[in-house]
Amino acid sequence: MAVVNELEKTEPLSVFEQTAFKGHEQVVFCQDEPTGLKAIIAIHNTVLGPALGGTRMWDYRSEEEALTDVLRLSRGMTYKAAISGLNLGGGKAVIIGDPAKLKNEAFMRRFGRFVDSLGGRYITAEDVNMKTRDMEYVHMETDHVTGIPESMGGSGDPSPVTAYGVYVGMKATAKHVYGNDSLAGKAIAVQGVGQVGMYLVDHLTKEGANVYITDIDQAKLAKVAKRSGAEVVDMEEIYDLDVDIYAPCALGATLNDDTIPRLQAAIVVGAANNQLQDEKKHGYMLIDKGIAYAPDFLVNAGGLINVGAEYYGPYNRDRAHKDAEKIYDTTLDILHMAAAESISTQEAAMKIAENRIAAMGKVKLPY
Ligand code: NAD
């Protein structure tokens, strides 16, 4: 009876009540005391296919913060896959703790076994603080992993395909705004010349754009400037430049109350995730300023398209580029729909994604 009394005293679980939990199919808490592994795998929606999304390791301040993060990220993956026309659902995993202290072979293989236990409902890949070697360990325990090195028969670094998708999304937005999609002679500010930014700069300079670049990492900046001829600017200056296009390729939330009034650009298209600090408010602030914005989760889907191509195989890089090229037409469709319905492009893209999931859900009648 004492046990019953103890149970009666506990607070009801609040997980199902969380706004972020809304719409999720399954959330799995994984714990392994010998290795110190604590992970959460969130499967948001599998109507279109198995839930694919990377594993992020972070030293979260609390378990609640980790849960909120994984719920938010897995939902985002559902939209990204749906808008890209992929037969994939949305999922994500987070591992809680300091990577430098915790990660080793046993730790990652134990995580791989948890992924495997889901029988393919969730497919993992690399994300923040995960290295190729970690994914190799995960792969020793499960086949439900993508983005593995080319040497192991995988698709390798997805960044060139992501950059290509951003580039075609930018050209489509230029077509919508200027009537033709040439970027020759356009002034373009690229914030962040990491894996994606660097390849994007190559496409832009090759087409004859005047490119301005910034990054915290001075060595990287100098390298990209040297090989592309792009002009280096200060980090804060990037928002005030008199350019045609601003391409955020570093951090999220760079479209906010402080930066939007400063932007001179007519177009914003970039690789960074969650560029709008507030999806609704800042989406409409861009419209009010007459700035055409291509939603980030659409134009940066090249990486997902690439790992999706690997998962369904046999992988072919040219084919992955061809699939990423479809971002051009989807971007145009979304810009037209947003203009026709007087809604933000973010809302238009979300609506198209939701409609596709609803329609495909009906196609899959029971046997
Ligand atoms: P990365 O870490 O290789 O590059 C990010 C770059 O931004 C780094 O060079 C970093 O020094 C720089 N940076 C950080 N803070 C900055 C600041 N305040 N000002 C200027 N530069 C700053 O990452 P990446 O793989 O190139 O990804 C870039 C963005 O695109 C991220 O937001 C990522 O989530 C998103 N993304 C990447 C992929 C992919 O395939 N790699 C796919 C989808 C989305």
Side-chain angles (χ1 to χ4, degrees):
M1 289 318 278
V3 172
V4 173
N5 286 341
E6 275 307 307
L7 286 175
E8 277 170 357
K9 264 194 279 172
T10 54
E11 291 291 317
L13 267 182
S14 63
V15 178
F16 288 102
E17 306 303 321
Q18 286 208 17
T19 316
F21 194 71
K22 207 168 156 264
H24 279 78
E25 288 178 13
Q26 187 178 12
V27 179
V28 184
F29 291 78
C30 315
Q31 174 165 245
D32 182 59
E33 287 179 6
T35 55
L37 174 72
K38 275 187 190 167
I40 312 173
I41 300 172
I43 296 175
H44 177 256
N45 188 295
T46 59
V47 168
L48 298 176
L52 197 156
T55 296
R56 168 173 298 192
M57 184 161 186
W58 198 255
D59 204 357
Y60 292 100
R61 280 170 301 181
S62 67
E63 286 167 19
E64 199 184 359
E65 191 182 62
L67 178 62
T68 305
D69 203 29
V70 77
L71 292 175
R72 187 181 58 86
L73 292 166
S74 56
R75 177 175 174 272
M77 292 307 294
T78 296
Y79 282 93
K80 191 179 285 208
I83 196 72
S84 307
L86 297 171
N87 292 318
L88 289 169
K92 200 88 183 181
V94 295
I95 300 180
I96 301 168
D98 183 349
K101 289 187 190 142
L102 286 168
K103 263 196 323 186
N104 56 42
E105 180 181 354
F107 184 90
M108 290 314 305
R109 290 182 69 165
R110 193 70 188 92
F111 176 69
R113 291 191 70 84
F114 280 115
V115 171
D116 201 58
S117 73
L118 291 166
R121 274 176 58 70
Y122 169 65
I123 307 159
T124 197
E126 248 180 79
D127 199 85
V128 177
N129 283 325
M130 283 291 130
K131 299 269 176 293
T132 304
R133 188 74 189 127
D134 302 319
M135 286 301 125
E136 287 174 12
Y137 290 139
V138 171
H139 190 36
M140 288 174 193
E141 303 299 333
T142 185
D143 285 335
H144 305 302
V145 52
T146 53
I148 51 177
E150 283 169 282
S151 59
M152 291 174 72
S155 60
D157 179 13
S159 308
V161 186
T162 304
Y164 186 62
V166 175
Y167 169 64
V168 299
M170 193 179 280
K171 283 179 77 65
T173 314
K175 178 155 176 75
H176 180 80
V177 172
Y178 304 116
N180 78 74
D181 70 9
S182 172
L183 299 175
K186 293 280 183 282
I188 305 176
V190 179
Q191 181 182 37
V193 286
Q195 285 303 100
V196 181
M198 173 180 80
Y199 289 114
L200 176 64
V201 169
D202 287 347
H203 287 297
L204 301 178
T205 49
K206 207 165 144 201
E207 193 172 330
N210 302 320
V211 182
Y212 300 86
I213 55 175
T214 194
D215 200 294
I216 300 177
D217 186 331
Q218 293 305 312
K220 225 185 256 181
L221 205 48
K223 194 179 102 188
V224 176
K226 191 168 172 208
R227 81 173 199 190
S228 66
E231 189 176 322
V232 172
V233 297
D234 283 345
M235 262 163 48
E236 263 306 303
E237 202 188 334
I238 200 87
Y239 300 111
D240 306 305
L241 287 179
D242 185 11
V243 289
D244 302 295
I245 302 172
Y246 162 55
C249 296
L251 315 161
T254 62
L255 298 172
N256 55 48
D257 288 349
D258 170 44
T259 58
I260 294 173
R262 291 161 64 185
L263 294 178
Q264 313 280 316
I267 290 173
V268 176
V269 181
N273 280 312
N274 307 315
Q275 291 166 28
L276 298 164
Q277 190 176 57
D278 179 319
E279 275 180 15
K280 201 158 187 124
K281 177 181 174 193
H282 296 122
Y284 281 93
M285 255 176 98
L286 289 172
I287 296 178
D288 290 345
K289 238 196 138 201
I291 297 175
Y293 167 69
D296 47 16
F297 68 94
L298 163 69
V299 297
N300 74 13
L304 179 64
I305 291 169
N306 196 56
V307 290
E310 173 188 329
Y311 192 74
Y312 284 114
Y315 178 73
N316 175 308
R317 189 154 276 245
D318 290 340
R319 178 70 203 271
H321 272 88
K322 276 266 163 278
D323 286 346
E325 213 162 280
K326 294 177 188 153
I327 290 173
Y328 184 99
D329 286 337
T330 315
T331 304
L332 273 179
D333 288 348
I334 284 165
L335 287 159
H336 289 151
M337 175 178 168
E341 296 188 17
S342 300
I343 56 174
S344 72
T345 48
Q346 181 83 8
E347 283 175 330
M350 289 177 76
K351 222 165 148 177
I352 293 175
E354 282 162 10
N355 288 344
R356 178 163 178 249
I357 293 169
M360 292 310 120
K362 288 184 194 129
V363 167
K364 293 182 184 178
L365 289 172
Y367 291 100

